Amino acid sequence: MGRAFLLLPAVLLLAAGCTPAVPPPAGAPQPARAAPTAAEAAAFVDSAEALLYELGVRSSRAAWVQATNITHDTDLLAAEANRQLLAARTPLAKQAARYSELELPYDVDRKLMLLRLALSMPSPSDADKTAELSRTASGLRSAYGRGKYCPPGGGECLDVEALSEIMANSRDPQKLREAWTGWRTIAPPMRDDYRRFVELMNEGARELGFPDVGAMWRSQYDMPPDAFAAELDRLWEQVRPLYDALHCHVRARLADHYGSEVVPPGEPIPAHLLGNMWAQEWGNVYPLVAPPRVEAAYDLTERLKAKGYTPLRMVRQAEGFFTSLGFDTLPATFWDRSLFTKPRDREVVCHASAWNIDDRDDLRIKMCIDVNAEDFQTIHHELGHNFYQRAYAVQPPLYRGSANDGFHEALGDVVALSVTPAYLKQIGLVDREPGPSQDIDLLLRDALDKVAFLPFGLLVDQWRWKVFSGEISPEEYNRGWWELREKYQGVRAPVERTEAEFDPGAKYHVPANTPYARYFLARILQYQFQRALCREAGFEGPLHRCSIYGNREAGERLQAMMQMGKSRPWPEALEALTGEPRMDATALLDYFAPLKAWLDQQNQSRQCGWTAGTTAFTWGGPAPGGR
């Protein structure tokens, strides 16, 4: 443990390319700083890579222990490891800017750019503020992980997993409303900490030359930040007609079930009725919105249980998908060190995630797996992250990452797209593939998750960008959140909200400070990947029927892109896989084209669209205070 604390200052001096010196007397002329050279830039990059690799491994190990055993001590250990990493990253990012005007070899220049933009949590130079930022970040994550709703009348306290079960399966509006509001009681204590968190990060971002954290995040996409924001708008406009058609159908069918007084026409849908704690995916309400007189093709959850699947067997099956493409099996340490089920003896963060502890071969997933269809697909997705991590491990440390962060999510998602009836038949989970007459049934199931997610995937960072820039002030956190949710999703809060609440904090990625635009990009890119890989595999049928399971040619093309890591700008990686240098949502529209035609037919006599601004706010509640 002593080595962890003693090593850092010496390595930081090396990374900075400097040696200790006695400062000149006060008032004396400052010595001229020598102009930087290309050789110094190359040496700086090498030492920075070595430092960040070592500190990154330590931070990952501490974060893993914290996430799989939440205690006061593991919080402190994770915060300290993260503080050391932040203390190194921020000065390195600032030092990287010193060489920005030099003519440099491609790799040195790109690595300097990555050093400057790699921070999602930029910290101030002041050591005390860096420590405060690290403590605040760790505290926010733990507050979410420990969160439980304890009913006021007594009874068992419920965590997000138990409350999500209610949201998924109940059709009682009162129970749904209680679960929805109950989970959001965990968030108000985070509000002041989050305000301070934003202040500290913004201070760090400004020291790096950015106006705020949002501009810094948007600069990480090989294009100017405003151009990236415009790119997201362009993609949203491509897919919005499909979302609007789905929203219109779902609202009408929910009104049939709950009554038009509960789900009024022409208004946003009450968020607690959509089967998901955040109304981000709507697959759980499928039975209420299914095509009339169409029997479900199959129930994958029932099939998994009937075939005796366990959490471990589900993971083994997902690994088999990748080995069928020609990838090597996962290392033995993956099976020894991963968390597959929720322990009974400790608090853990159950949110599914894939971990690359040492950028070599220590790959893991952390997930509280239930035997159901959703988790079966999620496991395929998470292993997509792990196989991507292993592929780009051949690159130098600063290139070990996805071409852009949307690629990582899209890689997992495109694998999940191949969990088709054909794949399920090949592995013995269904006896036969449904005929073409059931395509609408299958596409509607997919759209309720994939298409319904699109505006939510866009608005989470829209909210944060506005918070970071000050457009949404701390006094309007909740109002700004619901304005965006109503504008993009056509979803409203089921009960009156005030600024005493902090509803964004009830979504994991906000207290965890995980950028969210990647998930929107992934929903676009996965279909572009799917179209290209199915073409490579020689598949000629409808895109939604294609699975690349067992196709080595598709696997080779995928592996070639994955091994690039972030060594080249992401449009080059996209072109290497798809032959197209620009993101394009037409592949998603191709995939769901039969559904869109069906939805348009269903919606002919319905009132579609919505008027935003229906969530009731009370401004007489407690004003957000200071720390």
Side-chain angles (χ1 to χ4, degrees):
M1 196 68 181
R3 184 171 178 269
F5 292 97
L6 294 175
L7 177 66
L8 180 63
V11 181
L12 278 174
L13 289 173
L14 171 64
C18 60
T19 56
V22 178
Q30 298 295 313
R33 189 174 188 183
T37 67
E40 288 175 359
F44 166 75
V45 164
D46 289 343
S47 60
E49 280 194 303
L51 171 65
L52 292 178
Y53 172 74
E54 181 167 354
L55 295 179
V57 171
R58 291 184 200 167
S59 182
S60 292
R61 294 195 190 285
W64 173 267
V65 172
Q66 180 205 29
T68 57
N69 186 12
I70 303 172
T71 70
H72 172 73
D73 290 328
T74 59
D75 282 353
L76 293 178
L77 291 171
E80 175 56 26
N82 195 46
R83 183 199 66 77
Q84 292 186 33
L85 183 58
L86 284 174
R89 274 183 169 173
T90 300
L92 291 176
K94 294 172 183 174
Q95 292 156 28
R98 183 168 181 251
Y99 305 102
S100 60
E101 302 301 321
L102 293 176
E103 289 289 332
L104 297 168
Y106 171 83
D107 283 323
V108 175
D109 188 61
R110 183 162 182 80
K111 288 178 181 180
L112 287 169
M113 182 269 290
L114 293 172
L115 277 170
R116 186 165 176 258
L117 295 174
L119 300 171
S120 61
M121 189 169 70
S123 63
S125 297
D126 182 276
D128 290 340
K129 289 182 177 179
T130 293
E132 181 186 2
L133 177 63
S134 184
R135 288 194 305 271
T136 305
S138 182
L140 286 167
R141 288 194 303 270
S142 291
Y144 185 94
R146 287 195 185 99
K148 286 185 173 65
Y149 167 57
C150 299
E156 182 183 0
C157 294
L158 303 175
D159 63 13
V160 68
E161 299 293 317
L163 292 167
S164 292
E165 281 293 312
I166 296 172
M167 298 294 295
N169 298 311
S170 176
R171 298 293 181 255
D172 182 332
Q174 184 173 345
K175 288 182 179 178
L176 291 170
R177 188 181 299 110
E178 181 184 3
W180 189 94
T181 56
W183 176 244
R184 281 154 183 79
T185 61
I186 75 157
M190 301 180 194
R191 183 171 183 143
D192 283 346
D193 282 341
Y194 191 77
R195 177 192 59 78
R196 181 60 175 161
F197 188 56
V198 170
E199 290 175 356
L200 292 168
M201 286 199 298
N202 270 343
E203 185 175 336
R206 286 191 292 270
E207 290 179 8
L208 291 169
F210 299 95
D212 58 68
V213 178
M216 185 174 177
W217 285 7
R218 296 191 301 276
S219 297
Q220 297 173 3
Y221 292 91
D222 293 305
M223 61 176 63
D226 289 347
F228 177 67
E231 186 73 351
L232 294 187
D233 289 340
R234 179 185 67 83
L235 294 168
W236 169 242
E237 288 303 317
Q238 281 187 293
V239 299
R240 188 165 61 86
L242 175 59
Y243 176 80
D244 288 350
L246 180 67
H247 180 282
C248 187
H249 174 70
V250 169
R251 183 177 59 193
R253 297 305 301 274
L254 291 177
D256 290 343
H257 181 80
Y258 290 108
S260 59
E261 68 282 359
V262 177
V263 188
E267 293 188 14
I269 301 171
H272 66 308
L273 301 179
L274 287 163
N276 176 271
M277 181 60 74
W278 305 276
Q280 66 184 58
E281 293 169 332
W282 305 347
N284 289 319
V285 301
Y286 171 80
L288 302 182
V289 304
R293 299 181 300 280
V294 173
E295 183 180 351
Y298 53 82
D299 185 323
L300 181 54
T301 297
E302 288 186 1
R303 299 300 298 162
L304 287 164
K305 292 178 178 178
K307 292 289 185 178
Y309 270 74
T310 63
L312 181 60
R313 185 179 174 189
M314 290 165 70
V315 182
R316 290 283 185 188
Q317 181 57 60
E319 180 195 39
F321 183 96
F322 289 91
T323 57
S324 82
L325 301 178
F327 293 92
D328 293 336
T329 57
L330 291 164
T333 54
F334 172 87
W335 305 100
D336 294 337
R337 299 171 184 172
S338 291
L339 177 74
F340 299 133
T341 56
K342 185 176 183 179
R344 296 183 178 181
D345 61 343
R346 61 188 191 271
E347 297 284 351
V348 302
V349 178
C350 275
H351 187 87
S353 55
W355 295 65
N356 180 16
I357 299 294
D358 64 2
D359 274 334
R360 289 175 182 155
D361 217 25
D362 191 348
L363 305 168
R364 312 177 191 182
I365 64 169
K366 173 189 61 60
M367 184 176 174
C368 302
I369 300 172
D370 292 319
V371 179
N372 59 40
E374 181 179 358
D375 282 6
F376 187 69
Q377 288 207 332
T378 298
I379 293 164
H380 283 72
H381 171 99
E382 295 302 334
L383 290 198
H385 289 303
N386 285 141
F387 279 93
Y388 200 172
Q389 290 161 346
R390 173 188 268 180
Y392 58 60
V394 300
Q395 295 287 348
L398 285 172
Y399 287 162
R400 292 174 188 164
S402 60
N404 70 39
D405 54 7
F407 274 63
H408 233 309
E409 295 301 324
L411 197 286
D413 284 340
V414 76
V415 172
L417 284 181
S418 278
V419 182
T420 62
Y423 168 60
L424 297 176
K425 183 174 184 294
Q426 284 179 280
I427 63 175
L429 272 171
V430 300
D431 299 325
R432 61 179 180 83
E433 291 185 57
S437 63
Q438 292 183 303
D439 277 4
I440 298 302
D441 169 54
L442 296 171
L443 286 171
L444 181 58
R445 287 174 182 266
D446 285 347
L448 289 170
D449 285 337
K450 296 295 183 67
V451 177
F453 176 83
L454 289 167
F456 188 82
L458 190 66
L459 71 86
V460 173
D461 274 355
Q462 293 276 1
W463 179 81
R464 280 192 289 200
W465 294 345
K466 292 175 183 292
V467 167
F468 293 145
S469 71
E471 184 177 343
I472 294 177
S473 70
E475 293 75 27
E476 296 182 331
Y477 278 169
N478 233 31
R479 185 181 186 91
W481 175 254
W482 284 105
E483 284 177 352
L484 288 168
R485 295 205 63 181
E486 293 188 12
K487 172 185 175 181
Y488 284 103
Q489 278 189 288
V491 165
R492 66 170 174 84
V495 296
E496 185 179 86
R497 309 309 285 161
T498 77
E499 288 302 328
E501 278 91 36
F502 182 50
D503 293 336
K507 175 60 183 168
Y508 169 80
H509 299 74
V510 173
N513 199 47
T514 303
Y516 212 74
R518 63 185 64 173
Y519 301 105
F520 175 79
L521 295 178
R523 289 297 196 272
I524 305 299
L525 287 168
Q526 64 184 270
Y527 294 98
Q528 201 168 353
F529 290 0
Q530 171 83 343
R531 186 166 63 184
L533 291 170
C534 291
R535 188 187 306 127
E536 183 70 19
F539 184 82
E540 296 181 352
L543 191 57
H544 61 274
R545 287 267 174 172
C546 172
S547 175
I548 61 170
Y549 177 69
N551 191 279
R552 296 298 179 100
E553 290 79 10
E556 289 172 3
R557 195 172 186 94
L558 194 59
Q559 176 84 334
M561 183 277 287
M562 291 160 62
Q563 287 180 336
M564 293 171 69
K566 57 174 65 177
S567 64
R568 305 295 303 177
W570 67 261
E572 294 184 29
L574 179 63
E575 190 166 16
L577 179 62
T578 68
E580 302 156 349
R582 193 182 193 196
M583 291 184 286
D584 182 12
T586 62
L588 182 150
L589 300 178
D590 290 347
Y591 188 97
F592 288 106
L595 178 66
K596 177 61 163 61
W598 181 83
L599 289 170
D600 288 344
Q601 184 179 31
Q602 301 300 307
N603 292 333
Q604 282 181 356
S605 59
R606 293 169 174 165
Q607 179 182 352
C608 295
W610 62 88
T611 301
T614 62
T615 293
F617 279 89
T618 298
W619 294 95
R627 284 183 62 77

